[in-house]
Amino acid sequence: MRRWAITGMLFFAGAASASASPQWEKFGADLPQGGMAVPLATALADPAAHVGQARVFGGRVVDVCQKKGCWVMLEDEGQGARVLLGDHDFYVPKDVRGPAQVHGVLSRVELSAEAQRHTARETSGAAVPDVEYRIVADGVQVLADDEGA
């Protein structure tokens, strides 16, 4: 009887800790395991050290393409980058928001006036700069956001 009681306690303790661990909602390819995500603000403080190299970047999804869900805006400490989901290889729900990690390659892109107008039509009201940092990602994971954005 004692063995069953201990087994039951271990089962419930394991279930409680599993439900307490963060649950990522994943889109696209799985992110590489191990290593830490580079906070987006850190990467943008020294872009030369990060541009052109595949990395896992961390931040918060604050906006999503309202036409198809084909890009997200990732922000961290007031710094932002548009995350393209491959070449429209995958999509995210238009209402997804929250802490996120993306795996991709960072670049600096000058937007034409037409590209700015196109992007403005797809946002939920955010201003579109003439120069943006962009990450072409093959995978994105977002934690559920109970607070909303």
Side-chain angles (χ1 to χ4, degrees), residues 108-140:
R108 182 180 182 277
V109 178
E110 293 187 31
L111 298 176
S112 67
E114 176 53 35
Q116 286 178 283
R117 284 190 294 274
H118 173 85
T119 302
R121 288 190 300 266
E122 295 177 345
T123 68
S124 58
V128 179
D130 57 347
V131 174
E132 72 177 11
Y133 281 95
R134 184 178 288 174
I135 300 168
V136 177
D138 58 10
V140 173

Side-chain angles (χ1 to χ4, degrees), residues 70-138:
C70 60
W71 55 258
V72 301
M73 282 301 298
L74 187 69
E75 287 191 0
D76 181 43
E77 296 183 15
Q79 300 291 316
R82 184 172 316 281
V83 179
L84 303 181
L85 308 179
D87 186 18
H88 292 89
D89 296 328
F90 61 100
Y91 301 91
V92 300
K94 296 175 190 173
D95 62 349
V96 72
R97 303 287 186 280
Q101 295 180 339
V102 303
H103 179 257
V105 177
L106 178 68
S107 63
R108 182 180 182 277
V109 178
E110 293 187 31
L111 298 176
S112 67
E114 176 53 35
Q116 286 178 283
R117 284 190 294 274
H118 173 85
T119 302
R121 288 190 300 266
E122 295 177 345
T123 68
S124 58
V128 179
D130 57 347
V131 174
E132 72 177 11
Y133 281 95
R134 184 178 288 174
I135 300 168
V136 177
D138 58 10

